[in-house]
Amino acid sequence: MMKRALWQGLVAGATGAVVMTLGEKAEQRLTGRPDSHVPARTLKRLTGMRERPRRQPVPLNWAMHFGQGALAGVLRSVMAQAGLRGPWSSAIFAVVRLTNDQILENVTGVGAPPQTWPGPELAVDLLHKTVYAFATGAVADALAARNGPGPGQRHAVLRPGRRTDVGPLRRNGY
């Protein structure tokens, strides 16, 4: 399962990053918001690269932007393989994606906690990360569905919910 989750997650996450980027570029045209250089600055800090002020190299920005998206997609794929699929799971994953960004940006000193951001800036970031999460989830769920229901889905068939009278699935999954 993990090998499958790895490649499917990279595909799903990269797709989600492309969809998010297209949405960001459309939003920037409408609002006039400039490109963010936070991804490149974060990558420089994480890797110990020499920093410079102002604009950051576009290839570094894209590497961090798409790299983070692809890698985070692996977790969403593991969720889908386990049977955590659909909009509810994508909403859960949106929080994970936001958390990933905030940990990296804050631990490096490149970003500040979201509760300190101006409202419109926070809303835009939440929107784009949610688009990413749902696009990534749609792809991860579709790829995982080709392998049938996940263990959690098979357990739910016995009796939905967390119940003390329904034990775990047998080792063979049924």
Side-chain angles (χ1 to χ4, degrees):
M1 176 188 92
M2 289 310 289
K3 209 171 174 181
R4 187 179 319 130
L6 177 63
W7 78 261
Q8 289 180 0
L10 292 172
V11 168
T15 302
V18 167
V19 172
M20 177 178 67
T21 302
L22 293 172
E24 287 171 336
K25 293 304 175 190
E27 172 265 319
Q28 286 177 303
R29 281 196 184 112
L30 289 172
T31 64
R33 185 176 63 86
D35 286 339
S36 169
H37 296 282
V38 169
R41 285 191 171 98
T42 303
L43 183 57
K44 282 183 171 186
R45 290 271 174 105
L46 289 170
T47 60
M49 295 172 75
R50 187 168 168 249
E51 297 180 51
R52 63 182 207 202
R54 295 188 181 63
R55 283 188 64 88
Q56 302 300 308
V58 172
L60 282 182
N61 232 26
W62 289 125
M64 185 65 172
H65 182 75
F66 287 104
Q68 245 187 308
L71 288 174
V74 174
L75 177 59
R76 183 60 178 85
S77 179
V78 169
M79 291 171 67
Q81 293 294 331
L84 298 168
R85 300 178 189 162
W88 182 254
S89 296
S90 291
I92 292 168
F93 180 63
V95 174
V96 171
R97 178 64 172 93
L98 287 158
T99 302
N100 175 66
D101 265 11
Q102 290 309 305
I103 289 170
L104 294 176
E105 292 171 13
N106 281 272
V107 78
T108 58
V110 172
Q115 65 270 23
T116 66
W117 298 9
E121 187 178 329
L122 180 59
V124 165
D125 195 55
L126 292 174
L127 170 68
H128 292 309
K129 294 308 185 314
T130 301
V131 166
Y132 162 82
F134 278 79
T136 300
V139 175
D141 291 349
L143 291 171
R146 299 180 341 179
N147 306 311
Q153 292 166 311
R154 291 192 302 271
H155 187 272
V157 169
L158 299 176
R159 189 157 176 214
R162 296 174 72 176
R163 313 243 184 221
T164 58
D165 61 329
V166 179
L169 296 174
R170 281 186 258 135
R171 292 273 180 196
N172 67 2
Y174 291 94

